[in-house]
Amino acid sequence: MVELTVDLISKSKKHFKKKRGISLMQYLKTLTHLHFSSSNIKSIGDISICRKLSVLYLFDNQITEICNLSFASNITHLYLQWNNITHIDNLSNLQKLSKLYLGGNRITMVEGLEQLHELKELHLENQRLPPGEKLCFDSRTLLSLAESLCVLNINNNNINDINDLSGLKELQHFSAADNKLHSIEELEDVFSLWPHLLKMDLSGNPVCRKPKYRDHLTIVCKNLESLDGREIHEITREFLINWKASKEAKKRNKLAARTENRLQCQVRSQLERDMAIGVHAEESPASGVAHENSAAPHTLP
């Protein structure tokens, strides 16, 4: 089992090179970037001497647990994609972390990020999930990310709705391709709460086959510049907005006309009923007088 340790770093040709007047310990204390991708690493050992570490590349390894990083308060970029991680743990001390890459792992619940108030990018695509399961989000984590997260990638995770994500109001780039999203109305409701959205990819979802799918999202996402890899031109958005406004105006006018016609019919009906009652009221006394006259005996003058 390969473990990331100080000894491993010292043996790496692309890292420590003996220099006159500098020891290994001195070098490690100034180290800011570590590159150990595709190195068959299965665990992270004690590298706490690297206190200035800001970028750590550990993607494409065999790591099963995030650990021994509590010292790394200066890390801004953490690359852990394509490992065997099942839980997001032990990141609370990484207060400066802005980009977190966890795609291609075995994570089923997005949690444990409540203390990462500087996190701007979260990449969770292609989780190797058990059959029938989807990627889920802890409400506390979502609440804590609402003010900071700008980029979210959740491609290919069996997700069938995104209502839980509606609070991520600072999102600018959102990628949820190859999932199971199907409701255009739900998407409109959520995206209307994301005023800063610039780029979005929903390709490969059932919703993409809905009539006027692209038109609906172009209208509701007022600053969107790219949808499913295709640019949105402002002139197109203006045309669609005007078309929708015209359509809604016609609909309102038609509804108003129907309402007016219905009221006119009701008024006419009421007038006809009132007239019928009036005629009946006038005829009733006359018929009574006629009856009395016919009943009186006829006398000659």
Side-chain angles (χ1 to χ4, degrees):
M1 180 180 76
V2 179
E3 185 177 42
L4 178 60
T5 61
V6 168
D7 185 54
L8 183 65
I9 297 171
S10 68
K11 293 176 181 177
S12 172
K13 292 182 180 180
K14 59 185 176 183
H15 283 291
F16 181 62
K17 295 178 181 179
K18 290 187 178 180
K19 296 180 181 179
R20 184 180 298 176
I22 184 171
S23 67
L24 173 62
M25 292 299 106
Q26 289 173 319
Y27 169 76
L28 292 175
K29 288 178 181 179
T30 62
L31 190 65
T32 59
H33 289 61
L34 265 182
H35 298 261
F36 278 95
S37 58
S38 305
S39 300
N40 200 33
I41 292 173
K42 292 190 176 182
S43 65
I44 303 171
D46 183 7
I47 55 171
S48 59
I49 194 171
C50 305
R51 293 194 175 277
K52 290 192 176 181
L53 192 63
S54 61
V55 180
L56 179 57
Y57 295 94
L58 288 174
F59 59 86
D60 195 19
N61 281 294
Q62 302 297 320
I63 297 169
T64 58
E65 181 184 6
I66 304 173
C67 60
N68 292 323
L69 292 178
S70 58
F71 73 92
S73 59
N74 290 308
I75 280 189
T76 59
H77 296 56
L78 181 56
Y79 297 84
L80 287 169
Q81 64 268 43
W82 296 109
N83 280 280
N84 289 313
I85 297 167
T86 57
H87 295 88
I88 304 175
D89 293 318
N90 305 315
L91 294 176
S92 58
N93 285 348
L94 278 60
Q95 297 291 311
K96 296 181 181 179
L97 189 64
S98 64
K99 296 184 180 182
L100 178 58
Y101 294 81
L102 289 169
N105 280 285
R106 301 179 183 277
I107 297 165
T108 57
M109 175 64 73
V110 181
E111 58 187 347
L113 305 177
E114 291 82 7
Q115 302 303 317
L116 306 185
H117 301 300
E118 298 296 320
L119 192 65
K120 295 188 180 302
E121 295 190 19
L122 181 57
H123 300 264
L124 296 159
E125 70 282 359
N126 301 310
Q127 296 302 316
R128 289 170 283 169
L129 300 165
E133 289 199 29
K134 67 177 182 178
L135 184 65
C136 297
F137 294 82
D138 178 73
S139 59
R140 293 166 298 180
T141 282
L142 291 174
L143 183 62
S144 68
L145 297 178
E147 301 294 333
S148 65
L149 198 66
C150 297
V151 177
L152 178 61
N153 185 341
I154 52 172
N155 290 348
N156 190 28
N157 282 312
N158 294 331
I159 294 171
N160 56 11
D161 73 79
I162 57 169
N163 285 322
D164 291 345
L165 307 180
S166 61
L168 301 177
K169 58 185 179 181
E170 298 299 322
L171 278 183
Q172 297 177 16
H173 293 185
F174 177 62
S175 191
D178 301 318
N179 279 292
K180 297 180 180 179
L181 302 174
H182 57 86
S183 171
I184 189 70
E185 293 80 14
E186 174 194 294
L187 295 182
E188 287 180 305
D189 289 343
V190 173
F191 297 154
S192 67
L193 302 174
W194 295 354
H196 307 297
L197 197 60
L198 300 175
K199 185 176 181 180
M200 179 162 60
D201 187 3
L202 300 177
S203 58
N205 281 280
V207 71
C208 298
R209 299 191 292 271
K210 295 290 181 71
K212 299 190 180 299
Y213 148 80
R214 188 176 178 85
D215 292 351
H216 281 287
L217 298 190
T218 298
I219 292 171
V220 76
C221 302
K222 301 190 184 303
N223 292 304
L224 195 64
E225 298 173 354
S226 174
L227 175 60
D228 301 343
R230 291 170 52 198
E231 184 180 356
I232 294 175
H233 299 283
E234 192 57 35
I235 191 170
T236 301
R237 177 180 284 109
E238 290 177 3
F239 170 80
L240 291 171
I241 290 173
N242 291 336
W243 171 79
K244 183 182 180 183
S246 175
K247 185 178 179 181
E248 289 178 347
K250 289 179 180 178
K251 186 177 180 180
R252 286 195 300 270
N253 291 338
K254 191 174 181 180
L255 180 61
R258 282 204 302 265
T259 302
E260 185 177 356
N261 289 337
R262 187 165 60 250
L263 289 173
Q264 289 177 351
C265 289
Q266 290 174 350
V267 169
R268 282 199 298 269
S269 297
Q270 186 63 45
L271 287 173
E272 289 172 358
R273 285 196 296 270
D274 291 348
M275 289 175 65
I277 293 172
V279 169
H280 180 70
E282 290 176 359
E283 289 179 349
S284 294
S287 60
V289 171
H291 178 71
E292 289 176 2
N293 289 339
S294 63
H298 180 71
T299 57
L300 293 174

